[in-house]
Amino acid sequence: MASAPSWPLWIEQQLVRRGIRDRRVLAAMAAIPREGFVPPQEQLHAGEDAPLPIGCGQTISQPYVNALSLEALALKGSERVLDVGTGSGYQAALLTCLAAEVHTIEVHAELLDRARANLAVYRRAPVYCHLGDGRLGWPDAAPYEGIVVGAWAREPPPALVEQLAPGGRLVIPLGSESGQTLVCLRKLPSGALEREELVKVRFVPLVRPPEGGRLGRR
Ligand code: SAH
């Protein structure tokens, strides 16, 4: 019998023991260093089993939540995917290990600039960074076989459902300020959505962009 691969200890403890099984996801988590995406003052905490601040009042998820979201997308490597809420760029970098082409969209120009720099170092496949309102998706590159949203909404944004390819999956935290559930929605060939609830989570909200902010296509 082939022996089980031996993962770094943190991956065993934080991910494998909690049930993450997709070896491509585990390999991506092992390949992309979270330290490369957290600000200097958080470096010492980069290995912790917890969310961390990344500036502009935003946070990078607990690694388990990144892994669970990525596993739910069930990517094979040939897909075009959309990451909503670029933040530090960590989730987008992980996606470049799992899909062929990654689009990521962020509402804060300052975060997007930093994420671009981080991704230039760590990306494994083409990644396109867009400044804009992620609630509207990025129609120019649609459809996407996978969409992952790093901020909560009350309902799945209709534009994201629209931009999902048949058979594609949308992973998004749904709920309210008091708490959310990470949900995987699969678009059936009929266009109907099949819903699977993954875990209770606490995310930052998917917000309306600031009036008059530096926002636009570039
Ligand atoms: N996945 C990120 C962390 C996401 S934090 C990472 O790996 O680092 C949620 C991000 O969503 C924040 O950066 C926030 O600015 C962004 N965000 C919130 N509302 C948004 C919107 N309407 N459009 C695009 N990004 C949004």
Side-chain angles (χ1 to χ4, degrees), residues 14-90:
Q14 296 183 33
L15 309 181
V16 177
R17 280 190 202 162
R18 289 187 180 129
I20 303 295
R21 289 285 173 267
D22 185 329
R23 293 173 62 152
R24 294 183 71 243
V25 169
L26 295 169
M29 301 292 298
I32 303 293
R34 197 170 181 238
E35 306 82 81
F37 295 83
V38 302
Q41 65 276 20
E42 298 297 337
Q43 285 296 317
L44 283 175
H45 305 289
E48 288 177 9
D49 185 16
L52 291 176
I54 53 169
C56 299
Q58 306 303 318
T59 52
I60 186 171
S61 301
Q62 178 192 26
Y64 170 66
V65 174
N66 292 111
L68 190 65
S69 305
L70 293 168
E71 187 169 67
L73 289 177
L75 298 169
K76 299 277 184 277
S78 58
E79 300 87 352
R80 179 166 56 233
V81 297
L82 177 67
D83 170 52
V84 175
T86 314
S88 67
Y90 180 59

Side-chain angles (χ1 to χ4, degrees), residues 4 109 119 127-128 161 181 198:
L119 284 163
V127 53
Y128 301 91
V161 174
T181 303
L198 303 175

Side-chain angles (χ1 to χ4, degrees), residues 58-59 85-88 90-91 106-108 111 133-134 150 204 206-207:
Q58 306 303 318
T59 52
T86 314
S88 67
Y90 180 59
Q91 182 82 304
E106 169 60 50
V107 75
H108 277 289
L111 288 177
D133 182 356
V204 296
L206 196 60
V207 297

Side-chain angles (χ1 to χ4, degrees), residues 71-178:
E71 187 169 67
L73 289 177
L75 298 169
K76 299 277 184 277
S78 58
E79 300 87 352
R80 179 166 56 233
V81 297
L82 177 67
D83 170 52
V84 175
T86 314
S88 67
Y90 180 59
Q91 182 82 304
L94 293 166
L95 281 167
T96 69
C97 300
L98 298 168
E101 180 179 319
V102 179
H103 289 261
T104 181
I105 181 162
E106 169 60 50
V107 75
H108 277 289
E110 187 185 326
L111 288 177
L112 190 67
D113 287 345
R114 248 182 279 153
R116 269 204 182 96
N118 296 339
L119 284 163
V121 179
Y122 295 109
R123 62 148 195 258
R124 298 289 177 96
V127 53
Y128 301 91
C129 299
H130 308 289
L131 183 67
D133 182 356
R135 297 173 307 165
L136 307 177
W138 192 258
D140 292 5
Y144 303 97
E145 280 85 30
I147 302 180
V148 59
V149 186
W152 69 263
R154 289 185 195 278
E155 300 288 338
L160 298 185
V161 174
E162 168 73 33
Q163 289 168 33
L164 204 56
R169 295 169 189 228
L170 167 61
V171 177
I172 180 169
L174 295 177
S176 64
E177 291 91 307
S178 57

